[in-house]
Amino acid sequence: MLRNVDTPLHVRGESVFVDDLPEPDGTLHGAVCASPVAHGGLRAIHLDDARACPGVVRILTAADIPGQNEIGNIIADEPLLAECAVHYVGQPVALVVARTPEAAREAVTRVRLDIDEQPPVLDPRAAAAAGHFIAPPRRLVLGDVDATWAHCQTVLEGRVDSGGQEHLYLEMQGAMAVPDEKGHLRVYSSTQGPTAVQRTVARVLGLGMHAVQVEVRRLGGGFGGKEDQATAWAVLAALGACLLRRPVKVVLRRGEDMRMTGKRHPYSSDYRIGLDGAGKILAFEATYYQNAGAAADLSTAVLERTLFHSTNSYHIPNVRVTGMSCRTNLPPFTAFRGFGGPQGMFVIESAIARAADACGLPAWELQRRNLLEADSVFPYGMRVYDPRARRCFEEALARYHWEDWQREAAAFNAANRRFKRGLSAMPVCFGISFTNTMLNQAGALVHVYTDGSVGVSTAAVEMGQGVNTKILRVVARTLGIPDARVSIDSTDTRRVANTSPTAASAAADLNGMAAQLACQAVLERLRGVAAALLGAAGRLAIHDGRVQVDGRATDLTWEQLVAAAYMRRTNLSAQAYFATPDIHYDKTTEQGEPFRYHVFGTALTQVTVDGLRGTYTLDAVRMVHDAGASLDVLIDRGQAEGALLQGIAWVTLEDLLFDAKGRLMSNSLTNYKVPDLHFAPREVDVAFLEEAGNPRAVLQSKAIGEPPLMYGIGTYFAILSALRALRPGRPGVYDAPLTPEKVLRFLYA
Ligand code: MTE
Ligand code: LUZ
Ligand code: MOS
């Protein structure tokens, strides 16, 4: 079995990350001087003391920027370095360039900023009340909610809050920029979006994009945190390298990274849900106040996905959902695995939990009665293609003997006063494709060398998710050669240009397809050569490194064929391009078909809460997940487990806290709790849906990077259900994360 091709290097500690790259002679180091204040006018920057520090070479501010001081990607609202105002604590104001990282950091402490401090706005509802928006509100409408409320037997309203989340990738943000004799730059960046870095470096330095080469070997994790927010550090390094004509490296430390970079968007939302007497949801209405932070970053795209996933796996005939991206004085919040989907799903699941209570039904029964059907239409106008929501849900209940769980939990709860069990089911439906249709394109460059070995470049960035292994497998299978003959090369804007970020779970889909097309182009030429060599008229194929005619192996090996093709002057390289077909979306009507397909699944969760201490243990999470025809079962299992734990931690442990002045209080791993092995569920079962091929993606597979994160939401409701068993009749709490502190408050306040 093929293992993850990165694993041997990782376990031997030989994988190279940005900070491990050999530093060319004369490399300088940058440290970022950031605003200590959340909001204010920047009157002056006093640099004399810092300049006098030993080892300091130069200190760069906005005034030194040769091109545009602008790094905003979707909306141009974000300066690289602050000019006359600061908008959040941690906003970069200056870059100290020195001979060592230590000297640069020492000098940063000597920079004096003269800031006219103003009160910050931190809360999205307050920002909305003051009219501080990133963009106009968005609204999706299906059916007629207003006309429906009167026909509902049960109508409930409520408020739901969910917190942010620190990405905590193991490798910090960073980049190294090396200038060449033409003044062009080679940038090594820990980014999910090499082209975004290239474009922004070019814009800020006033260069053509052809003067900027960005190369990425791998990331020590990204999780969305490096989709957009790797850019600033790469551009700062490039700015230093360009002005000083020396290599410059900027690598953040953990504390800097936590303070200066954005995280998952906190949301505060209001909803109204209406049901008939049979527990069918007739209408759902919601307003999402997204805390966008101080600049747009990807917030509008994240909000769009919240709206698209506002009804999760459910068929709801009347829907009106409104999203507002609210500008506050916090670091710009950004992409994080799930990309707004989790926030939207947490709201509908909260509404369902309350509705179930009101209807006197268990939540899982209410969920089950409302799952998507073959004729369901989403509020964005798209019909569900091959809905598998019910298949996954029913299979999870049957496979894991849900009735036994319920019986045992009821018996346990009847027999125990201090400890109570809680159960939940969590169905997930996640759309695959960038919601911004334009981004759904990818490229590949395949070289077959004369010895038959194959080098592959694509736009995909390896960040632990195994995309290199998946693309390698696609290439080896398409060419019909052993895996060992294929190497996946680094991601480089000179080999594959104009790329989309590795994001939206779509990297293997998009780049795998481009790589397959490139291989097919080379294969077509090789077949012509083989036909001539063998004088064969039958159907030619390559299998296990050997040419076959009509399914029968010949003596001609792949290596011989490639060598012969070269002798006959055959092009052994191919560049290919793939754009997802048939997707479209019209933002003026809010209708279209933004996703190529959906991923489905259901997770069942059991927890035990200690009613005395407020702590909980996660007994088991068992899921049935639709991975299509998995490209690699081991990698996909790892993705499902990792995403699950990240989702669980978002709704339970990870408590992102800012003080009243907008300063991050949870700014280290001693005060920001992340999950460890002891916290993880005692048992995690991942069963992939069987006979679940998917003609809409490469080799019948389905994307998996993000969807399983949302199974974690089930843990919130399992804990809540245990709490309701401890304190019957007490209203629920819908404010994630449900930390042990919050559990205690629920029990004893
Ligand atoms: N897995 C690991 N180990 N590290 C990561 O940074 N990022 C996730 C997911 N899985 C991530 C990961 C996110 S946010 C996305 S969008 C997908 O991987 C991107 O990769 P894919 O498109 O190849 O699935
Ligand atoms: N990034 C993006 C994403 O730019 N658009 C998306 O739709 C998306 N979805 C999930 C994760 N990242
Ligand atoms: Mo993932 S949030 O699309 O990088």
Side-chain angles (χ1 to χ4, degrees):
M1 183 169 57
L2 175 70
R3 287 177 309 175
N4 187 324
V5 291
D6 267 16
T7 304
L9 291 183
H10 286 343
V11 296
R12 292 202 298 261
E14 292 169 2
S15 307
V16 170
F17 300 89
V18 166
D19 206 21
D20 306 318
L21 289 168
E23 293 169 10
D25 276 351
T27 297
L28 299 172
H29 299 267
V32 179
C33 169
S35 173
V37 167
H39 186 204
L42 180 57
R43 286 209 209 93
I45 309 174
H46 300 290
L47 296 174
D48 290 347
D49 293 352
R51 281 200 185 107
C53 288
V56 171
V57 176
R58 186 158 163 191
I59 303 178
L60 306 171
T61 65
D64 297 298
I65 291 173
Q68 272 175 268
N69 183 17
E70 179 57 60
I71 62 168
N73 187 358
I74 299 178
I75 297 173
D77 70 345
E78 189 176 359
L80 175 69
L81 293 168
E83 282 184 43
C84 39
V86 289
H87 299 287
Y88 63 93
V89 175
Q91 180 177 354
V93 175
L95 183 77
V96 176
V97 184
R99 286 185 223 294
T100 66
E102 294 73 25
R105 288 198 165 79
E106 176 59 27
V108 163
T109 66
R110 308 294 173 88
V111 176
R112 277 198 304 116
L113 302 177
D114 182 1
I115 298 172
D116 165 28
E117 194 169 340
Q118 286 154 31
V121 177
L122 308 177
D123 173 64
R125 289 177 189 260
H132 300 322
F133 296 112
I134 297 286
R138 295 276 300 271
R139 171 171 286 178
L140 305 188
V141 178
L142 177 69
D144 185 346
V145 287
D146 291 325
T148 308
W149 303 122
H151 307 299
C152 296
Q153 182 162 322
T154 308
V155 176
L156 292 164
E157 290 180 349
R159 169 177 164 155
V160 177
D161 292 273
S162 61
Q165 187 176 21
E166 164 65 43
H167 300 88
L168 214 86
Y169 25 69
L170 287 181
E171 180 201 15
M172 259 67 77
Q173 301 271 8
M176 179 164 75
V178 183
D180 72 8
E181 83 279 1
K182 284 197 275 189
H184 291 185
L185 291 159
R186 192 180 169 96
V187 181
Y188 305 89
S189 167
S190 180
T191 181
Q192 295 174 233
T195 293
V197 169
Q198 181 194 20
R199 186 194 306 119
T200 314
V201 167
R203 184 200 296 147
V204 172
L205 298 184
L207 298 170
M209 282 172 74
H210 65 289
V212 183
Q213 173 183 10
V214 179
E215 183 177 359
V216 184
R217 194 164 314 186
R218 64 171 66 75
L219 312 190
F223 306 110
K226 297 169 182 171
E227 180 174 342
D228 213 51
Q229 298 216 354
T231 300
W233 327 107
V235 178
L236 285 170
L239 177 67
C242 173
L243 296 177
L244 294 163
R245 296 269 171 160
R246 302 258 296 267
V248 173
K249 194 165 149 178
V250 176
V251 176
L252 300 189
R253 289 184 179 168
R254 180 64 69 192
E256 294 170 333
D257 194 310
M258 290 180 89
R259 273 182 286 115
M260 294 180 191
T261 67
K263 299 139 205 330
R264 186 189 295 285
H265 293 78
Y267 274 57
S268 186
S269 310
D270 299 318
Y271 70 84
R272 182 188 290 181
I273 190 168
L275 303 97
D276 69 11
K280 281 269 188 192
I281 304 172
L282 299 182
F284 178 67
E285 183 175 16
T287 304
Y288 307 92
Y289 297 89
Q290 177 199 55
N291 193 337
D297 193 89
L298 292 163
S299 296
T300 52
V302 170
L303 184 69
E304 184 170 61
R305 197 174 268 280
T306 301
L307 295 174
F308 287 170
H309 294 324
S310 57
T311 55
N312 189 11
S313 280
Y314 307 109
H315 170 95
I316 307 180
N318 301 284
V319 178
R320 182 166 64 207
V321 285
T322 309
M324 283 180 276
S325 188
C326 309
R327 197 185 290 275
T328 62
N329 295 108
L330 292 173
F333 292 100
T334 193
F336 195 136
R337 208 171 193 174
F339 205 76
Q343 293 95 324
M345 291 186 197
F346 184 58
V347 175
I348 182 79
E349 293 301 329
S350 295
I352 286 176
R354 280 196 54 214
D357 249 13
C359 299
L361 285 169
W364 65 271
E365 184 53 46
L366 207 147
Q367 291 169 321
R368 185 190 213 178
R369 289 182 192 184
N370 289 282
L371 291 171
L372 289 162
E373 303 294 352
D375 59 347
S376 297
V377 175
F378 289 106
Y380 43 95
M382 181 173 174
R383 203 164 277 280
V384 195
Y385 162 74
D386 193 6
R388 295 169 175 174
R390 188 165 297 285
R391 238 178 103 192
C392 292
F393 198 91
E394 297 298 340
E395 193 171 316
L397 299 190
R399 175 185 190 100
Y400 298 121
H401 309 290
W402 182 238
E403 282 177 7
D404 294 348
W405 293 37
Q406 289 173 280
R407 199 173 339 97
E408 284 161 22
F412 180 93
N413 287 352
N416 288 278
R417 280 185 57 205
R418 175 173 158 191
F419 294 94
K420 297 284 183 192
R421 289 231 161 111
L423 301 178
S424 75
M426 179 67 200
V428 168
C429 168
F430 195 80
I432 301 300
S433 290
F434 286 92
T435 60
N436 179 355
T437 302
M438 179 274 293
L439 289 172
N440 295 286
Q441 49 176 318
L445 178 64
V446 170
H447 295 310
V448 176
Y449 296 100
T450 55
D451 66 351
S453 63
V454 180
V456 182
S457 300
T458 72
V461 170
E462 175 60 51
M463 45 188 182
Q465 87 279 40
V467 71
N468 281 354
T469 305
K470 288 187 173 183
I471 290 173
L472 189 153
R473 176 156 284 190
V474 168
V475 167
R477 270 202 222 168
T478 305
L479 294 177
I481 59 176
D483 296 330
R485 300 257 60 194
V486 184
S487 165
I488 307 295
D489 297 325
S490 65
T491 313
D492 188 321
T493 55
R494 286 216 177 141
R495 272 180 266 121
V496 180
N498 307 325
T499 65
S500 295
T502 288
S505 305
D509 278 24
L510 295 169
N511 296 281
M513 202 65 101
Q516 190 177 46
L517 291 173
C519 291
Q520 284 164 349
V522 176
L523 209 50
E524 198 45 45
R525 293 176 218 139
L526 288 174
R527 276 205 206 94
V529 175
L533 285 174
L534 296 167
R539 197 174 49 79
L540 284 167
I542 299 167
H543 195 70
D544 278 341
R546 233 166 234 291
V547 177
Q548 293 182 340
V549 181
D550 290 330
R552 280 190 310 276
T554 67
D555 287 341
L556 185 61
T557 66
W558 162 259
E559 282 75 15
Q560 288 164 343
L561 174 61
V562 168
Y566 174 65
M567 299 300 280
R568 292 174 181 225
R569 297 193 291 171
T570 306
N571 179 4
L572 292 173
S573 298
Q575 184 269 351
Y577 172 82
F578 175 73
T580 311
D582 302 330
I583 49 173
H584 57 91
Y585 196 72
D586 181 347
K587 282 193 191 179
T588 57
T589 60
E590 297 287 10
Q591 295 284 298
E593 196 152 326
F595 300 120
R596 184 67 178 141
Y597 61 91
H598 290 81
V599 167
F600 301 92
T602 291
L604 306 177
T605 302
Q606 178 185 302
V607 304
T608 304
V609 174
D610 179 341
L612 191 61
R613 296 160 70 206
T615 53
Y616 36 76
T617 51
L618 314 182
D619 305 321
V621 180
R622 301 186 177 116
M623 67 179 79
V624 170
H625 180 81
D626 168 22
S630 171
L631 287 173
D632 188 306
V633 169
L634 212 55
I635 287 176
D636 283 353
R637 182 183 304 268
Q639 285 293 293
E641 291 174 354
L644 168 71
L645 192 59
Q646 222 164 14
I648 291 175
W650 170 57
V651 296
T652 56
L653 286 188
E654 297 191 39
D655 204 3
L656 191 72
L657 292 173
F658 295 92
D659 71 9
K661 295 193 139 207
R663 292 175 298 210
L664 182 67
M665 293 164 75
S666 50
N667 60 1
S668 79
L669 289 176
T670 57
N671 49 32
Y672 184 76
K673 181 88 181 111
V674 291
D676 57 17
L677 209 53
H678 301 289
F679 177 76
R682 296 281 181 276
E683 200 187 314
V684 176
D685 242 305
V686 179
F688 292 124
L689 195 65
E690 281 168 32
E691 285 166 50
N694 174 32
R696 297 198 167 191
V698 65
L699 296 179
Q700 302 277 331
S701 64
K702 279 198 176 189
I704 196 170
E706 296 170 282
L709 183 135
M710 284 148 276
Y711 296 138
I713 294 171
T715 296
Y716 188 100
F717 294 98
I719 295 171
L720 191 55
S721 140
L723 293 182
R724 310 291 304 288
L726 283 157
R727 294 287 182 275
R730 205 171 274 192
V733 45
Y734 303 93
D735 180 10
L738 192 44
T739 57
E741 291 90 327
K742 224 175 266 167
V743 167
L744 274 182
R745 237 174 292 147
F746 173 93
L747 294 171
Y748 298 104

